[in-house]
Every structure is written in structure tokens, then in C-alpha cells.
Amino acid sequence: MTNNPPPPGAVTRRGLLTGATAAAGLGLAGCGSASEAFSGETTVKQWNLLAGSDGAIMTSMHDQFTAETGIGLQATTFAWGTPFYTKLVMGASGGNAADVATIHLSRLGSLSPDTLLDSIGLDELTDAGLNPEDFPSSIWERCFADDRLYAVPIDTHALVNFYNRTICEQAGVLNPDGTLLETHGVEEYFDLLRAVKDVTGEYGTSLDTNAGWRQFWAWYRQQDGEWIFHEDGYELDDDKALVAIETMWRMADEGLCPRIADGAQCAANFENGAGGLVQVGNWEITRFRAFDEAQGLDFSITEMPDFFGNRRTQGDCHSYALPRHNAWDEEVRAATVEYISWMLQHSFEWGAGAGHTPAYLPVTESEEYQSLQPNAEYSGVVENVQFDPDVWFSGSAARLAVDVAQTLVGVYSGATTPEQALDTIKTQAQTLVDLPNPVD
Amino acid sequence: MTTVQERPPASESKPRTITRRRGRITVGGALVYFASFFLALLWLVPFLWALSTSFKTETEASLGQPIHWIPEDWSIEGYRVLFERGDHLTWMINSTVVSTIVTVLTLALCVLAAYGFSRLDFPGKKVIYGVILAGIMVPPQALIIPLFDVVSALRMVDTYWGLALPQVVAPVMIFILKRFFDAIPRDYEEAARLDGANHLRVLWSVILPLSGPILAAVGIFTFIGSWNNFLWPLLVGNDPSIMTLPVGLGVVAGGYGLLYAQNMAAAILGALPLLIVFMLFQKQIVKGVAGVGLSR
Amino acid sequence: MTTDTETPAAAPPAAPPPAQTASRAPKRRSWLGLWFVLPFTAVYAVFMVWPMLLGLYYSFTDKSLTGRPVEWIGLANWSEAFGDAAAWDSLWNTAWFTILSTPPLVILGLAFALLAHRARKMGWFLRLSFFAPFVIPVSVVTMIWIWMYQPDGGLINHYLGEWGLGGDRLWIFQEDSMGPIVATTVWWTMGFNFLLYLAALQTIPGEVYEAADIDGANGFQKLWGITLPLLGRTTALVITLQLIASLRIFDQYYLMAGGGMNLSPEHVAIQYIYNAGFTGLRVGYASALSYILFVFILVVALVQFRLLSRKED
């Protein structure tokens, strides 16, 4: 029995229309798998936070899913980050949220899986054609809480480096084969940025100054910095943290990156040539491809530059989780698991279209995927990806990342010195440690 | 210098708007005239800028510099995508349904209660009225935490009732209506009462017809308030199919990245419904407020 | 006391009312009236009184949105709240917002109403332009203003730069987003005060000015000597409503600042409560914060009520 009949006013369903809109020209590979026998009435409600351009890829995959399986899908994209997670928690606490939601794997613990999520049976997965061996074990292990499976990983995504070939060629920072010169250390990379800045006349690289946590964590981790939290405190390596923050400060101070640019501005800077590179998540590939089609933009992607001796980068895994239901309709439940399975088995498109590295090994290990460009150029991110610290207030868009990012906005803008910023960050972290834990 | 310092007694007759004699156009008058015009134009700038952006292509919109008001390359792409997605329409319907429920219920319940408090005597009247009046002091926003819990326990999360009912609790409306009813001379009712009408009938056929303007004003402002209410629908409408327009626009992202032209198209479409209503009824709205004595 | 549920058809008044005005006509005490007030009272009890009591109870517990079992923790939430600097900051931000936003909202409302009242042919245009923003949903308002506040390529910075006023402000994207949010709020809600003043102006009979005309008073004298004094009660009402509205600031802040990864970290009180309870899952703690805010608003309301009612005497 369904617990939540659709409200009388819901006249339209999203994502069932032509869908070709933003996804136009993505060249979706038509995989013709047999359609399951679901009655036309079954609809899966999916919530996601894919507010970036990867959302367009998901939408077109959804259309294909519905066309193939006959299962209806009602997908909603919420504003990324805190707004999404707040909605998810409130919906789940009411017991009639979505059937399935995309979450960051790093957030699993903070979502109180015990009370707010429904666990997934392994047999359910196998019945739908998914096996635990199909996932990298390092990721798969993160999907459990109290020995129960609460998440199914979709991908690994990370901060990468996009470069504009036209500009970089003029700046003389390309290899003969058209790839970006590999640099070692901050100074070498800054030299590269200076050369690019001379060409653009504005910035070397663009980046999202509101999302400084990502850069901070990547560069801190490149120095082997650890951030371990315990009951009443934490261990942070001040020197390494300061070095990471100073790198941001210098980059902005010299005008090698913008002093202020939100997600949209950050991408626009790259599109309109204000910056010859952009350090941003791999998901922006969709947006830049669309721009390329419209106006021409010759770009490729490489890993996070080596600032401190390696190419570690900040990242996470999108995963499917089932928000708690007061009651499951058996058919909806089956359709939900079928949806998860279908999306994973078709995640080649997720990788090709949105630039994410699929978690589903049969896809990533396929020859087709291995030779996929530009994905192959940054395939190393899967090894280099660094998850956020492991504590209940950490993870993508959680308090720690948000608070730190807000402080770092001031570093980019020039209002806060690195020392001040570090002090603030340490105070913020202590405040979070002192909070009573509402999860367990 | 001044001749009148006292407020004139509120007359029963309709207030007259007097056209003052303005023989010649003075320099000062002309200045005021143009100042008014430019101020009004300035006040419209945000709206006009949104309108202009909404008709640009995404590239032109995101380019920013140089600023130009007339799109170089007219595009209705933003609007087209919105209509295709369709949830905009859903939210507009939801807003209409919720605001209508809230307005009708507020009027019905508050009129009944105000009449009861004004014309009838019953045990516990003073206490109940006191408790309700005290509620004027309680900002509903300070109640969101336990209120969500109550609505959640009633299994009303993601339902129209959950959205609407807490908004019906408007003690100030009782106060306004009771004060108005109190001021209606009782002689009017006597005739009806002599004819054998009961209280419901008196309310319906005597009091209400005399209360047209105040009911209109209460209704209009309840409707606008509910239509634009953000916090409560934000909390209790989690499922996008039940969201109202302000909440949907505020929390549901496009799924196509941050697109300015599309964003502004959504803004324009979101602004239109009540804007049109206001343009059609602006005279009546001003009159309603004046007639009610809301501003006396 | 009677228990009649039906009022007798004809209840002749024992004595004629002393005047035309409403007076204490004798009423029969019956249960009937209860039926009239019951529907509202029921809704009121469930959605106002009960949550207030429940919130008080929760403030002494560690109630979590996750739904885990509730435990009584005594005054822990309260002592934490009183020592929570961020909470007091948010309360101060609410107060500061009210202080900053109320004067322009009242003064501009009055000024624009005076202009629109004078204008004849242009009246509809002024009314439309000044009042229209008020009927626009808040999320639309913030979408538009965020777009105008863009530091790089935004409309406002562009014109400031063009006029040599320095087009490099960060607006809501910096630490202090109060000013820009006040500006947005003034644009959005001024229309309501404008309308109240406009309506009040229309109730001033023209004869009032005729005597002044005979005395040869000029426009300014008439404004200062007649119009403004006559608007005194309206001003009291406008200020009261405005204070109540400003103290409840949430929407604009939620949508423009502190709403996630991207914008300024500032909070106002209700936003802080929202974050504590719904984002931070701590329902118990958020309930304690709510009560502190409630008392704060109550105190402001009472002080203001006393001040204004004294003025009217």
C-alpha cells in the first residue's frame, strides 16, 4: 500500500519530456537491454543534488531508463549542498521523502543511516544484477554502517584541471601532443599560470572561490597532512595547513586566479577566455562541451597539478541511498532497486557525459571506457582522490567544509590573511567538536 | 499657518478625494513631476533588468560585460526550457490551491469567531479571547521547530492541509474583524432578529454585507501573505510536487547548471501572477485598505 | 446562565442603546457563542498552543530530528544557548537589521505615497512601480538581486564603476551582507507601507486644505502643518507593523546569505534556529533558541507598544 498518494495538484512529471534540451548533442550510446515487466503505473521518486551540468546527463539517462523499462521516474534536483541535505533529512524524518536519493558517500554517517535511511539487502541487489565484486572494495566498504548496506556507489568525482588548448598553446605550455605540460611544485605551476595570464590578460586559472575547501583539502593532503578528530579535539598540522592557504593567497594576490567567482562565474571565466585553465570538478565537462558546440572551445582535462610532490585531489563518490519510508510499496521498492541497477549498468554514459569515473567496474574496466577521451587523461584521479575527514560534521557540504570554505572566501578576496584564516578555521573546528552529537 | 490640527471625525460617508486647484504648472511642480517619474522608473530597474536578461542567450547573459539592456540575440530559450520542465506550472497551481484554502478558511473561521466574540456571550469567552489575543504577540516563525514536529506527527508533511492549516492561525484578523463588527450599530440587526432570523442568518445577511471592504482587505492581504509565504512551505513541502512557487523557485535547482537567462525567465514568470492581479485591481486594493481603516 | 443552544427568535432589547454606536446591549449567556469560536479555537489550539507547550518540553531534552529516543537533559540546552556567541550574534543581526531597515521603509513609504497622491495622470504608473515589488515572491526578488549584485559583471557594480564610484564591491558575497540585504528588503516591502500611507492620504478630506489655501500657506507648510500631523496614527501603525515584520527576517537571509557553501556566513536569529534544528538535527537545542527569540520579540513589542500608546494620549 502506498503511504503517500500523489497530491491532486501534481499535474506534470519532470524529465519525461523530450529531454533533449540541454543534453543535445551528447551522443548517447543506445543500449538496448530487455525491458522489465513493470506495470505502467509504477513511479520512482528520485531526489538529487546534481545542480551542476551533470544533471543534464542524468536527466537524459532517466529518459532512456523510462523508455526502456516502462518505470516512471520523477526526479528532482535540489540546490546543491546544505539545502539538499536539509530537505533529505526533513523528508526522511517525515517518512515520505523520495524513494531514492543521491548522496555523497562521505555524508553517509552524518545522515544517521540507522534512523533516517532504509538499508538495502544484498539479495535485492543480486536479483537486480549487481554484485559486491562489481565495485572497488575501498569504496564498497564505505557503504556500510553497522554491517548493513545503506548506499550503492555511482562514481568517483574530483577536482581536476581543465585547460583551454588554444590559449595554452599561445602561452607555450602545451606538449607537442597537445596535452598540458606537467609541472612539479607550486613555483613551476605558478610560472605556467603567469604565461597563461600573459595571453588572457586577465587570469591564469579560474576557480570557484566559494568552494575553497576543495583546494585546501587537496593541497593539504598533497603534503600528507592529516586531520583527525576525536571526542574533545582534533589534530591538524598547522604548518601544512598554512602552506596550503598561503598558496591560495598568493595565487589570488598575483591575479593568477579571480579574487571572487562563484560556481557560475568560475565556469564562465573559462568559457569566455578570462582564464586559460579552470580548476573545478570534472562534472563541468558537460557545460564546456555545450559551450564548445555553440561557440567553440578547444579544451581537455588533466589531473590536479602537482603542488607538493603528488597529484592528490579532493573528491567524493555520488551514491544512491534509500530515505526512510513509513511503508514501502513492494512494486515501488523493486522498481527503485531496478533503477539503481540500470543506472549503474549504463554508467558509461555517466562517465562519458559528465566526466565522473563510474564506480561500476564492468563499465570502467571495459575497453570502450579505457579508451575514452578525455577521461583517460585524468583516470589517475581515482587513485589520488582524497575523501573529507571522517567525523559526523564532515563530508561534502557538511558544516566543516562549509565553514572552512566561508573563511577561505576571505583569503581569495584578500580580506583575510592566511594566518587569520587558519586561526578562524581552528576555532571553527573546535566549535564543531564541542557540539553535542545529534546523530548517535 | 495651520488651521486644522485635529484629525477630522471619521465620517460614515465615503471619503472624498479632492482635486486641488492647480492653475499653472509651476517649476517646483514640474520638478516633483519628473522626480516622481524617475524614481518610479528607478524602482522598476531590477524588474526590467531581469526581463532583459531573460530574453538573452545564456552566453550573452553570463558574459556580463559590457552591460546592454537590449539583447543582441533575442532568445526565448529560457522560457521554453521552463515550460518543458513543467514544474513551474505545478508550483503555481499549488500556490493557488494553498493560498485559496488559507484565504477561504481564514475568512470563514475568523468571521465566525469574531462574530461570536462581538455579539454573543458564553462561558469562558474572556479567557478564550484573551488567549487568542495573546497569540498576536507570538511570531509564527519562532514556532517552526515544534510546529514541524506536530504537523509531522499528524502525518501532514507534504500535504496541502499541512501547508495551509498552520497559516490559518491569524489571531490579528480576529482582532480586526471583531473591532469592525463592534462598530456596526446594532439597530441594523434588530429588524432581522424581529423577523426571526438566528445568529448565522444575521451574520450572513446583515453583518457581512456591511463588511465588504474589510473582508476584501483581509482576504487580499491573507492571500498575498500566503502566496508569498516562504518559511513554512519550505519546511513542510519537501516533495517538489507539493511545493509552492516561492519554495520551488528557491530550492529546486534547474538540473542544467547555473543558467542566468533561465533563472531570470523563472523569476519573471514567478512574478507575473500577482502582478497581473495587482494591475487589474490596484484601485480597489487601495480603496479597500482605506475603507477598512487599517490605516486609521 | 442558560444552556440554550438556540437563541430565541426575538430578543427585544431591555433598554434602547444609548447612542448609535455599538454599545453593551444585554446579551444572553449561552453555549451558542462557543460554536462560533470553536472552529478557529480548535485550529489555534493544535497549531499554536500545542506547539508552544511542546517546544518548551523539547527545550529540556536532546530531541533530535533523526528520531532517536528522547532523553531529558535538564537545563543543558538553555545554558548552552546563553553561552552560544553565534546565537547572540544572530539575535543582534536581527535587531540590527530591524534598526537599519525600519527608517528607510517608513520614510520612503511616506515620501512615495505623497508623490503618488499628488500625481494624477501618472498615478497608476507610480502605484504600480512602487507597490508591485511587494507582490513578488521572495525567491524571485532574491534571484533578481543576487544577479544584480554579482561582483563581476553585475548591474550595480557596472554602473558604480561607470560613474567612478568604484565598481569592485563584493556585496552579498562578503562578510557583511547586511547592507545589500537591507536594500533588497526596502525595494521589496516598501510597497506595503506606501499603500497604507496612500490609503490614509485619500481619507483626508480636501476641505482641510482649503482653509490653509485661504491663509496663503505654501505646499511645504501644508505638508508639515496639516498632512503629516494627520498621518500620525498611520505612522504609528506603519512603524508597529514594520518592526514586527523586520524582526521576523528570515527569507532574504536564507536565500541570499549563509544559505550554503557559497555566500556570506552571517545569520539572523530564525535562520540560526532553522540551521540548529533542521540542518543540524538538534530539535531540543533549537527549541530553547526559539524561546529566547520569542521573549526577545515580546520585549521589543511591549516596549514599542508602551511608547506608541503614550504618544497617542
Side-chain angles (χ1 to χ4, degrees):
Chain A
M1 198 200 90
T2 7
N3 188 49
N4 40 344
V11 289
T12 53
R13 254 187 346 202
R14 273 194 59 198
L16 299 182
L17 300 149
T18 57
T21 43
L26 290 170
L28 298 170
C31 312
S33 84
S35 72
E36 296 278 328
F38 279 97
S39 68
E41 303 300 307
T42 314
T43 294
V44 175
K45 275 199 297 183
Q46 187 256 29
W47 288 3
N48 65 78
L49 44 54
L50 300 165
S53 49
D54 45 0
I57 304 297
M58 181 191 62
T59 305
S60 68
M61 287 173 73
H62 284 170
D63 293 340
Q64 203 189 331
F65 165 75
T66 301
E68 267 184 38
T69 63
I71 299 172
L73 195 80
Q74 193 184 343
T76 305
T77 303
F78 288 93
W80 189 91
T82 314
F84 167 79
Y85 282 108
T86 309
K87 276 273 156 242
L88 180 62
V89 166
M90 292 178 74
S93 85
N96 52 358
D99 297 314
V100 56
T102 59
I103 64 165
H104 291 102
L105 200 46
S106 63
R107 286 300 297 269
L108 186 62
S110 68
L111 288 175
S112 181
D114 188 29
T115 53
L116 292 181
L117 299 180
D118 284 334
S119 64
I120 306 162
L122 285 177
D123 46 334
E124 277 182 286
L125 283 188
T126 8
D127 286 353
L130 295 178
N131 291 298
E133 310 84 68
D134 294 339
F135 300 91
S137 56
S138 58
I139 296 177
W140 185 248
E141 281 156 17
R142 287 173 167 269
C143 300
F144 287 81
D146 297 333
D147 292 332
R148 283 191 295 274
L149 180 70
Y150 282 106
V152 180
I154 306 166
D155 64 42
T156 304
H157 56 271
L159 215 52
V160 293
N161 218 11
F162 289 75
Y163 55 99
N164 178 325
R165 281 217 192 88
T166 321
I167 292 175
C168 288
E169 174 147 48
Q170 285 176 48
V173 296
L174 289 191
N175 293 310
D177 68 349
T179 55
L180 190 70
L181 281 179
E182 201 172 324
T183 56
H184 299 281
V186 177
E187 298 315 317
E188 268 188 52
Y189 187 61
F190 275 24
D191 283 340
L192 184 150
L193 291 184
R194 286 180 193 114
V196 173
K197 182 181 162 74
D198 284 343
V199 175
T200 63
E202 216 165 330
Y203 312 121
T205 185
S206 177
L207 45 73
D208 184 348
T209 58
N210 291 336
W213 164 260
R214 297 185 199 276
Q215 270 88 21
F216 170 77
W217 190 239
W219 300 342
Y220 181 68
R221 288 293 302 143
Q222 283 198 2
Q223 306 168 68
D224 293 322
E226 301 267 5
W227 201 350
I228 296 160
F229 289 85
H230 37 78
E231 198 68 348
D232 47 6
Y234 58 82
E235 288 150 40
L236 178 75
D237 189 322
D238 285 12
D239 297 334
K240 289 174 179 168
L242 197 59
V243 168
I245 301 172
E246 272 167 350
T247 309
M248 301 176 181
W249 171 270
R250 285 183 50 207
M251 203 187 254
D253 198 42
E254 211 182 306
L256 298 177
C257 72
R259 279 215 172 278
I260 178 123
D262 64 3
Q265 191 61 46
C266 158
N269 284 338
F270 185 65
E271 289 170 347
N272 60 33
L277 302 104
V278 59
Q279 203 176 88
V280 77
N282 51 248
W283 52 88
E284 292 291 8
I285 189 174
T286 322
R287 173 174 173 151
F288 296 146
R289 275 188 182 147
F291 189 89
D292 181 30
E293 292 231 330
Q295 322 225 339
L297 178 68
D298 183 12
F299 71 93
S300 188
I301 307 174
T302 179
E303 283 188 60
M304 167 68 75
D306 160 3
F307 283 79
F308 302 104
N310 57 64
R311 305 188 79 165
R312 284 183 200 150
T313 186
Q314 191 270 356
D316 208 329
C317 294
H318 292 127
S319 321
Y320 286 119
L322 312 183
R324 186 179 69 84
H325 284 51
N326 289 330
W328 274 97
D329 175 301
E330 249 174 58
E331 198 162 321
V332 171
R333 172 80 177 212
T336 303
V337 178
E338 171 66 18
Y339 161 77
I340 294 173
S341 169
W342 191 96
M343 289 297 278
L344 289 181
Q345 293 181 17
H346 291 74
S347 58
F348 177 85
E349 286 155 36
W350 191 234
H356 301 300
T357 308
Y360 191 62
L361 291 175
V363 167
T364 27
E365 283 168 356
S366 71
E367 212 167 297
E368 195 187 10
Y369 185 83
Q370 295 280 330
S371 58
L372 188 66
Q373 285 297 343
N375 300 51
E377 204 176 326
Y378 62 89
S379 59
V381 289
V382 177
E383 301 301 317
N384 282 325
V385 69
Q386 302 295 313
F387 281 84
D388 288 358
D390 185 20
V391 63
W392 70 269
F393 48 75
S394 172
S396 291
R399 278 287 299 272
L400 183 69
V402 171
D403 288 359
V404 171
Q406 281 173 341
T407 303
L408 294 175
V409 166
V411 174
Y412 281 116
S413 76
T416 317
T417 66
E419 290 78 12
Q420 285 167 344
L422 180 60
D423 277 351
T424 313
I425 288 171
K426 289 172 70 175
T427 319
Q428 284 168 330
Q430 188 59 45
T431 311
L432 292 174
V433 170
D434 290 341
L435 286 179
N437 183 341
V439 179
D440 26 57
Chain B
M1 187 178 74
T2 59
T3 46
V4 184
Q5 286 287 11
E6 273 307 3
R7 168 138 190 71
S11 57
E12 282 290 303
S13 67
K14 269 208 302 186
R16 276 190 302 145
T17 334
I18 284 287
T19 34
R20 266 162 288 142
R21 286 166 289 118
R22 258 201 250 150
R24 253 176 271 123
I25 298 170
T26 61
V27 177
L31 268 180
V32 170
Y33 189 87
F34 282 112
S36 310
F37 181 75
F38 279 112
L39 267 177
L41 210 57
L42 186 72
W43 217 249
L44 284 180
V45 157
F47 199 73
L48 295 176
W49 180 235
L51 198 65
S52 148
T53 306
S54 74
F55 284 110
K56 291 176 181 170
T57 60
E58 286 301 340
T59 323
E60 194 185 341
S62 71
L63 212 53
Q65 307 285 1
I67 295 279
H68 48 267
W69 284 83
I70 309 296
E72 277 169 0
D73 189 3
W74 286 83
S75 158
I76 54 160
E77 188 61 19
Y79 292 92
R80 201 181 63 79
V81 173
L82 282 179
F83 278 110
E84 229 171 51
R85 280 172 45 194
D87 38 13
H88 215 87
L89 185 66
T90 309
W91 299 333
M92 227 175 277
I93 292 171
N94 287 341
S95 272
T96 313
V97 171
V98 171
S99 304
T100 308
I101 296 180
V102 170
T103 309
V104 169
L105 277 184
T106 301
L107 283 175
L109 298 192
C110 291
V111 161
L112 273 182
Y115 181 84
F117 286 125
S118 172
R119 291 294 195 269
L120 291 161
D121 198 15
F122 52 91
K125 174 175 163 177
K126 281 209 171 118
V127 176
I128 299 178
Y129 190 58
V131 170
I132 289 179
L133 274 201
I136 295 182
M137 289 289 168
V138 181
Q141 286 86 343
L143 275 184
I144 50 171
I145 301 282
L147 188 57
F148 178 77
D149 201 64
V150 168
V151 170
S152 182
L154 293 173
R155 294 275 166 109
M156 280 189 186
V157 172
D158 285 322
T159 64
Y160 284 136
W161 291 116
L163 284 165
L165 281 179
Q167 296 189 60
V168 172
V169 181
V172 71
M173 296 305 180
I174 302 251
F175 175 73
I176 292 177
L177 287 171
K178 176 183 180 291
R179 210 180 51 157
F180 189 86
F181 291 168
D182 280 347
I184 296 178
R186 278 160 204 255
D187 312 9
Y188 295 147
E189 296 156 62
E190 296 309 332
R193 299 294 300 278
L194 286 170
D195 285 350
N198 63 20
H199 276 288
L200 270 182
R201 188 147 202 110
V202 169
L203 175 59
W204 183 254
S205 52
V206 180
I207 302 284
L208 288 189
L210 288 171
S211 314
I214 197 167
L215 294 180
V218 167
I220 287 167
F221 282 104
T222 304
F223 193 89
I224 296 180
S226 173
W227 181 276
N228 285 348
N229 194 347
F230 181 75
L231 178 55
W232 180 246
L234 169 73
L235 300 180
V236 83
N238 295 306
D239 190 329
S241 59
I242 196 80
M243 282 179 181
T244 59
L245 189 65
V247 176
L249 287 178
V251 301
V252 174
Y256 303 106
L258 294 158
L259 302 173
Y260 291 127
Q262 192 183 313
N263 234 353
M264 289 303 113
I268 294 296
L269 286 184
L272 275 185
L274 278 199
L275 218 50
I276 292 171
V277 171
F278 175 70
M279 281 201 246
L280 292 179
F281 297 109
Q282 56 159 309
K283 272 243 159 79
Q284 287 84 336
I285 291 176
V286 178
K287 258 192 208 141
V289 174
V292 159
L294 251 184
S295 37
R296 279 200 310 224
Chain C
M1 201 219 276
T2 121
T3 48
D4 284 357
T5 45
E6 269 293 305
T7 324
Q20 287 284 43
T21 60
S23 62
R24 308 276 142 248
K27 282 174 280 193
R28 292 193 46 199
R29 217 163 145 80
S30 80
W31 292 100
L32 177 66
L34 210 54
W35 292 107
F36 276 81
V37 303
L38 193 66
F40 182 86
T41 311
V43 176
Y44 182 81
V46 174
F47 295 107
M48 178 81 110
V49 181
W50 176 236
M52 282 202 75
L53 300 175
L54 195 64
L56 194 61
Y57 163 66
Y58 282 158
S59 72
F60 296 104
T61 69
D62 71 342
K63 166 91 177 165
S64 161
L65 195 61
T66 62
R68 66 167 184 204
V70 176
E71 235 174 83
W72 183 271
I73 54 167
L75 288 171
N77 286 327
W78 289 90
S79 59
E80 184 186 343
F82 281 109
D84 185 345
W88 291 103
D89 276 353
S90 74
L91 204 56
W92 166 245
N93 280 334
T94 296
W96 186 229
F97 174 83
T98 307
I99 294 169
L100 287 180
S101 63
T102 304
L105 277 166
V106 174
I107 294 169
L108 286 180
L110 171 62
F112 288 5
L114 289 170
L115 291 179
H117 186 59
R118 271 179 69 108
R120 280 173 296 173
K121 273 189 188 155
M122 212 170 50
W124 74 267
F125 175 59
L126 297 187
R127 281 198 302 272
L128 172 72
S129 150
F130 293 147
F131 184 73
F134 181 68
V135 300
I136 300 179
V138 62
S139 29
V140 169
V141 171
T142 55
M143 275 160 105
I144 295 177
W145 280 81
I146 290 175
W147 174 223
M148 295 203 305
Y149 281 136
Q150 288 296 318
D152 202 0
L155 189 71
I156 296 178
N157 267 355
H158 170 79
Y159 281 110
L160 287 183
E162 198 143 276
W163 299 331
L165 299 169
D168 51 2
R169 286 287 305 272
L170 301 180
W171 302 110
I172 47 173
F173 301 90
Q174 66 181 5
E175 191 93 6
D176 181 18
S177 49
M178 180 69 75
I181 293 183
V182 167
T184 301
T185 308
V186 169
W187 182 78
W188 180 36
T189 62
M190 188 278 302
F192 183 67
N193 298 344
F194 165 77
L195 195 68
L196 290 184
Y197 273 121
L198 194 63
L201 283 171
Q202 294 190 352
T203 62
I204 298 179
E207 297 89 14
V208 173
Y209 295 97
E210 278 163 17
D213 282 339
I214 295 165
D215 288 352
N218 64 25
F220 180 76
Q221 283 167 331
K222 278 188 281 186
L223 173 69
W224 197 253
I226 303 176
T227 315
L228 291 186
L230 286 180
L231 289 175
R233 295 190 58 170
T234 305
T235 302
L237 179 87
V238 167
I239 292 177
T240 308
L241 293 179
Q242 188 55 58
L243 281 178
I244 293 173
S246 284
L247 284 171
R248 293 174 178 180
I249 166 82
F250 168 82
D251 304 358
Q252 302 94 299
Y253 252 90
Y254 174 83
L255 290 163
M256 294 178 91
M261 198 104 171
N262 27 10
L263 307 174
S264 136
E266 254 174 15
H267 289 115
V268 286
I270 292 172
Q271 196 180 10
Y272 194 75
I273 293 170
Y274 173 91
N275 285 345
F278 295 126
T279 305
L281 311 176
R282 301 182 61 206
V283 172
Y285 183 57
S287 298
L289 290 172
S290 305
Y291 265 84
I292 294 175
L293 172 68
F294 171 53
V295 170
F296 174 76
I297 293 185
L298 201 64
V299 168
V300 173
L302 289 178
V303 167
Q304 184 254 353
F305 186 70
R306 284 208 61 150
L307 284 179
L308 286 180
S309 58
R310 188 173 306 159
K311 217 167 134 195
E312 271 187 28
D313 285 340

